[in-house]
Amino acid sequence: MKIDTSNVKKGTVLNLEGKLYKVVDTYHTHTGRGSATYGFKVKNILDGSTNTFTYKSGTTLESADVSTKNAVYLYNTGDTYSFMENDTAEIYDIDANTIEDIVPYLKENLDIFLMIYEENVIGVILPATIDYIIKDTMPGTRGDRATASKKPATLDNGLEVMVAEHKKIGDTVVVNTSTLETK
């Protein structure tokens, strides 16, 4: 399937030079008289290596025909993470290297989407936000509340984030999985 460079977003899977790449980051530059260019930081899905590609505006790329299946995260055993597809109850064991960028967000019974390409799982799509419970943080300081100060906190899955000063152990926070911002 063809895709214009202007439509490539973070998470898009591209078939470049016969290899599958997941777009990790995108950028757009436009110089005064020159044409615009689009750059993509990509991760090779098979070997995990990263690369950067730059294309002129209007270039057409080949996107991979990736389907998704609704699933739930079950557990991990060492370097393998197990997921169960909701419709068929089929279990998928995925190597940690394949999904290393999302491993810190995983918690038992988390609903996710599996990315499937030619009957193989090539990645996992997380929800936009996930609720966690604060396991450890420092007590808030009294005083000026005019500024929205933050403090470090460790969540129930081990993820470390910055939370609002008034949050305490046992409180629930909503984490944005793309920015690590909390509410």
Side-chain angles (χ1 to χ4, degrees):
M1 180 166 53
K2 300 290 184 185
I3 186 170
D4 187 83
T5 51
S6 63
N7 294 327
V8 175
K9 307 287 182 234
K10 185 177 177 181
T12 302
V13 178
L14 299 172
N15 188 344
L16 303 173
E17 303 167 1
K19 297 178 183 173
L20 289 182
Y21 293 96
K22 180 179 178 183
V23 177
V24 178
D25 198 13
T26 64
Y27 60 91
H28 174 260
T29 57
H30 184 79
T31 55
R33 292 186 178 201
S35 63
T37 58
Y38 290 89
F40 308 109
K41 181 177 179 183
V42 295
K43 180 179 177 183
N44 186 311
I45 290 178
L46 295 178
D47 64 19
S49 63
T50 58
N51 203 344
T52 303
F53 292 103
T54 305
Y55 297 96
K56 288 185 179 181
S57 179
T59 304
T60 303
L61 302 174
E62 186 71 29
S63 75
D65 186 21
V66 176
S67 63
T68 58
K69 292 184 180 182
N70 197 358
V72 64
Y73 169 65
L74 299 175
Y75 56 86
N76 79 307
T77 54
D79 290 338
T80 303
Y81 290 80
S82 297
F83 299 85
M84 181 179 69
E85 184 184 344
N86 289 348
D87 295 336
T88 64
E90 184 175 350
I91 303 292
Y92 292 91
D93 293 325
I94 304 173
D95 186 72
N97 294 332
T98 304
I99 58 171
E100 66 186 344
D101 54 334
I102 63 107
V103 166
Y105 300 100
L106 294 177
K107 66 180 190 173
E108 288 184 13
N109 300 318
L110 178 66
D111 288 322
I112 54 90
F113 288 97
L114 297 173
M115 297 170 58
I116 311 291
Y117 179 75
E118 296 180 350
E119 304 300 318
N120 295 315
V121 176
I122 60 169
V124 173
I125 301 171
L126 293 171
T129 60
I130 303 174
D131 293 347
Y132 297 100
I133 297 172
I134 297 175
K135 185 174 85 174
D136 187 37
T137 190
M138 302 179 312
T141 57
R142 293 193 168 266
D144 182 20
R145 300 281 190 218
T147 59
S149 59
K150 302 257 183 181
K151 63 181 180 179
T154 304
L155 306 178
D156 57 344
N157 68 335
L159 190 64
E160 294 186 8
V161 296
M162 299 298 286
V163 297
E165 192 72 36
H166 68 277
K167 296 286 186 177
K168 60 187 180 306
I169 295 173
D171 285 353
T172 299
V173 292
V174 178
V175 177
N176 181 318
T177 56
S178 59
T179 64
L180 269 182
E181 291 178 0
T182 60
K183 293 183 189 174

